Amino acid sequence: MESPPPATEPAVRLIPLGGLGEIGLNMMLVESGDELIAIDCGLMFPDPDEMPGIDHVIPDFSYALAKRDGFRAVFLTHGHEDHIGALSYLLRRAQVPIYGTPLTLALVSERLREHGLLESADLRSMRPRDRIEVGPFRVEPIRVTHSIVDGIGLAIDTPVGTIVHTGDFKLDATPLDGDPPDYYRFAELGEHGVLVLCSDSTNVDRPGHTRSESDVGRALRGHFQGATGRIVLATFASHIHRIQQVLTLAAEHDRRVALLGMSMQKNVTVSAALGILKVPEGLLVPLEDLNALPRERQIILSTGTQGEPNSALALMAAGEHKYVQIERGDLVVISARVIPGHERTIGRVVNALLRLGAEVLYDDNAFVHVSGHASQEDLKLMLNLTRPRYFIPVHGEYRHLLGHARLAETVGLTPERIFLVEDGVGVEVTKTAARVVGGYPTGRVLVDGKGVGDIGAVVLRDRQLLAQDGLVSVSLVIDRAGAILAGPEIASRGVVYVKENEALLDELRAAILTTLAAAAATDREAIAAVVRGAVRQFINQRFQRKPVVLPVILEV
Ligand SMILES: [Zn+2]
Ligand SMILES: [Zn+2]
């Protein structure tokens, strides 16, 4: 880390711990002196090929934990997992107040309850235009629109000036709840002077404006009108407004709705209780009751938009769902974006549904989804409204951050006012200057079951090797002089099917014994090394595979 600036001038540091360099695990620290707050605390779902067996990935909190005495609060922008999902891991190690809007806190509460942390958590509700004093900061939530309701950006007054963080946003002038983004407040902040703007880069590649959620409703209405059979609609369980549109259309067309998927049921219950979701009386029915109705009166609202193997939608497509059989004349709508990496699984589900005779609408063949993130013209408008002195693109892979930096230049920000930084690289701002301060501890902490951070690169590489080429274990019992008393016993997983390859195993056993005799190794380590080498060579020659070899040498 570079040396601190001269003590004469106060400085504030923005330190991204996650979300700059990837989409996921969003967390940004704002630090003034010894005091700091965090914006969001999210997780990332790993690519299963890259990280086999890993449940999720969270940011490295060690810098914030080292400063825990001055760690004042976490401010949440909205309830998506990439913004709230790591809180349970943070709260296990530090007691920090959590601020969020009502729906965000309701979703956080669900998660914390699952982890047994709800009782001890200090959750504080905030609403747009509140002013919250914490340490040297005054934080104001600002209403934005996004693919989940109750999303906000933040204006943070600091000793050196105002920092605006947009959170995830789009500029939807006709949102379903009639609560558009607070354009006025963003402009007013711009008028008074914004020192730093951090803005969502996710959709920087898309020209034009992002369309309104209401447009999707109009399109869905057309599709519902034409439908003569059952309708199955899959969407993200957190997309309350999309769910609202389906419920409203169902009532209009005198259909009843059954919910499929745990998260769908949970989120509908939570947001109906908060009054965010309006559920017409008698509209929701259990699946058994729905099945008793004529097909043209049925709607199934389901999760599984990414073709996840055990999701309701995938089971329906495979004809394996216990209670729902897709038939000719059914309409299936996948009302969601394709998360990169899921194209093949979704494709498989779509093909299977079509084979069953259903009509299938999805992002590419019908207008049944709209993004929750701002496109180029929206992003330019945000830059123009806030007119920041300094700009930091956030929420994106490097290509998105770079694209957003270039976009900012087109609206007149000079390159020295734009900070293209990634996780672990901070930006220090004073009233008159800004500079990069590198070297904060950062990284992706892997969570597998109950283990947090105990899986490193070596374990991951082993898992990849195991997944690719399998495992061979060789057990030997030796005496103190290294003479073989029993074995070698050979077991393998994912290399060859042992039962059908007895002859091959005999050969392998012989090869191990021959190599051991020639090597004349006497201690356990040396014998293990010889065994490993012999097995690798044998398998490589026969199959050109490189399994993980696990010698188990017992000395008696
Ligand atoms: Zn989001
Ligand atoms: Zn996000």
Side-chain angles (χ1 to χ4, degrees):
M1 216 178 295
E2 291 174 37
S3 54
T8 48
E9 220 183 347
V12 165
R13 282 166 299 280
L14 289 108
I15 306 163
L17 297 184
L20 277 69
E22 66 269 296
I23 292 195
L25 50 118
N26 295 288
M27 188 170 186
M28 165 89 81
L29 303 179
V30 183
E31 183 182 44
S32 169
D34 290 329
E35 297 183 273
L36 59 103
I37 54 175
I39 302 169
D40 291 327
C41 185
L43 59 71
M44 185 167 76
F45 294 102
D47 179 339
D49 292 337
E50 247 172 70
M51 301 182 182
I54 298 301
D55 300 328
H56 40 251
V57 185
I58 59 175
D60 181 344
F61 309 131
S62 52
Y63 184 76
L65 292 174
K67 298 263 179 140
R68 105 180 54 214
D69 291 341
F71 192 178
R72 295 281 167 252
V74 179
F75 286 86
L76 302 173
T77 58
H78 62 289
H80 279 153
E81 290 287 353
D82 60 323
H83 297 259
I84 66 169
L87 270 179
S88 48
Y89 302 100
L90 179 71
L91 290 185
R92 238 174 256 168
R93 307 194 47 201
Q95 262 301 339
V96 197
I98 311 291
Y99 288 89
T101 52
L103 178 67
T104 306
L105 287 188
L107 295 172
V108 165
S109 302
E110 290 287 327
R111 287 284 164 290
L112 295 182
R113 184 173 308 140
E114 285 162 19
H115 286 85
L117 291 164
L118 185 57
E119 297 296 302
S120 57
D122 179 359
L123 303 181
R124 304 182 185 185
S125 190
M126 62 177 179
R127 301 222 174 236
R129 296 208 174 194
D130 282 354
R131 306 278 161 94
I132 299 145
E133 308 267 349
V134 270
F137 308 107
R138 193 174 65 183
V139 182
E140 176 190 342
I142 308 171
R143 171 72 63 213
V144 294
T145 42
H146 185 40
S147 47
I148 186 168
V149 275
D150 234 3
I152 50 152
L154 295 167
I156 306 169
D157 279 340
T158 77
V160 298
T162 302
I163 294 164
V164 172
H165 192 295
T166 62
D168 290 10
F169 79 103
K170 67 190 275 184
L171 297 176
D172 191 340
T174 53
L176 283 195
D177 53 11
D179 238 342
D182 198 344
Y183 301 97
Y184 180 82
R185 192 66 190 121
F186 282 113
E188 197 178 36
L189 286 161
E191 186 69 29
H192 284 118
V194 169
L195 186 61
V196 184
L197 172 71
C198 301
S199 180
D200 178 1
S201 310
T202 316
N203 271 359
V204 73
D205 291 340
R206 298 196 190 178
H209 296 279
T210 301
R211 294 177 72 176
S212 169
E213 181 63 25
S214 303
D215 295 349
V216 182
R218 264 190 291 284
L220 285 178
R221 175 169 291 118
H223 298 307
F224 277 39
Q225 262 155 12
T228 52
R230 171 203 277 148
I231 298 173
V232 175
L233 189 137
T235 190
F236 292 118
S238 61
H239 205 323
I240 307 302
H241 277 170
R242 190 67 48 80
I243 294 169
Q244 180 71 69
Q245 310 221 63
V246 175
L247 298 187
T248 306
L249 287 171
E252 258 174 47
H253 292 91
D254 196 27
R255 288 175 181 257
R256 297 287 174 274
V257 181
L259 305 175
L260 278 192
M262 281 285 284
S263 52
M264 185 64 80
Q265 287 167 359
K266 225 183 238 174
N267 288 5
V268 165
T269 311
V270 164
S271 39
L274 286 170
I276 290 169
L277 189 71
K278 310 269 182 289
V279 186
E281 191 70 34
L283 186 80
L284 292 179
V285 296
L287 195 53
E288 306 87 89
D289 297 2
L290 190 82
N291 276 334
L293 293 170
R295 292 180 90 78
E296 69 273 13
R297 295 199 54 208
Q298 302 181 16
I299 295 183
I300 292 172
L301 193 51
S302 150
T303 52
T305 56
Q306 305 304 309
E308 302 91 325
N310 284 317
S311 65
L313 191 66
L315 292 175
M316 286 179 230
E320 287 169 6
H321 197 280
K322 263 198 234 163
Y323 306 106
V324 185
Q325 281 81 41
I326 297 294
E327 286 175 16
R328 188 160 298 281
D330 286 353
L331 172 66
V332 180
V333 183
I334 303 177
S335 183
R337 82 188 162 107
V338 178
I339 297 176
H342 290 78
E343 294 85 354
R344 263 182 308 149
T345 50
I346 297 176
R348 216 173 286 145
V349 165
V350 169
N351 285 321
L353 289 166
L354 289 169
R355 261 188 219 112
L356 292 171
E359 193 186 339
V360 186
L361 304 177
Y362 48 100
D363 211 3
D364 287 345
N365 71 358
F367 178 59
V368 290
H369 175 64
V370 68
S371 171
H373 296 274
S375 301
Q376 286 172 6
E377 296 308 315
D378 309 310
L379 295 171
K380 287 184 203 166
L381 181 57
M382 180 58 79
L383 283 156
N384 282 330
L385 287 173
T386 53
R387 295 189 300 182
R389 183 166 325 144
Y390 302 110
F391 174 56
I392 306 175
V394 299
H395 205 281
E397 295 170 14
Y398 185 75
R399 63 194 168 111
H400 303 121
L401 306 178
L402 178 64
H404 206 175
R406 288 180 176 155
L407 193 77
E409 285 186 46
T410 68
V411 300
L413 268 86
T414 47
E416 68 276 7
R417 289 162 58 196
I418 302 170
F419 287 85
L420 182 59
V421 293
E422 292 189 83
D423 301 346
V425 179
V427 177
E428 181 177 82
V429 278
T430 65
K431 282 179 183 153
T432 52
R435 62 175 188 145
V436 167
V437 281
Y440 292 93
T442 175
R444 300 175 177 187
V445 177
L446 310 182
V447 181
D448 180 8
K450 286 199 165 166
V452 179
D454 57 343
I455 297 198
V458 176
V459 176
L460 264 195
R461 207 186 51 231
D462 281 352
R463 286 188 181 185
Q464 279 168 338
L465 289 175
L466 284 173
Q468 280 159 16
D469 287 326
L471 165 89
V472 177
S473 85
V474 180
S475 321
L476 267 183
V477 183
I478 56 169
D479 66 13
R480 281 170 187 280
I484 296 168
L485 301 179
E489 286 298 322
I490 297 169
S492 85
R493 288 289 180 275
V495 185
V496 290
Y497 188 47
V498 172
K499 281 197 176 139
E500 288 171 5
N501 284 280
E502 276 302 329
L504 187 91
L505 287 187
D506 287 341
E507 277 181 65
L508 175 55
R509 221 168 272 130
I512 294 169
L513 290 173
T514 315
T515 318
L516 273 175
T522 52
D523 66 281
R524 273 175 55 196
E525 315 270 275
I527 290 173
V530 172
V531 168
R532 202 176 286 126
V535 176
R536 276 189 186 154
Q537 196 186 12
F538 181 88
I539 302 279
N540 194 26
Q541 273 170 4
R542 291 299 172 91
F543 303 103
Q544 293 206 334
R545 289 178 201 158
K546 295 188 172 58
V548 174
V549 182
L550 195 68
V552 183
I553 316 292
L554 282 178
E555 196 183 282
V556 293

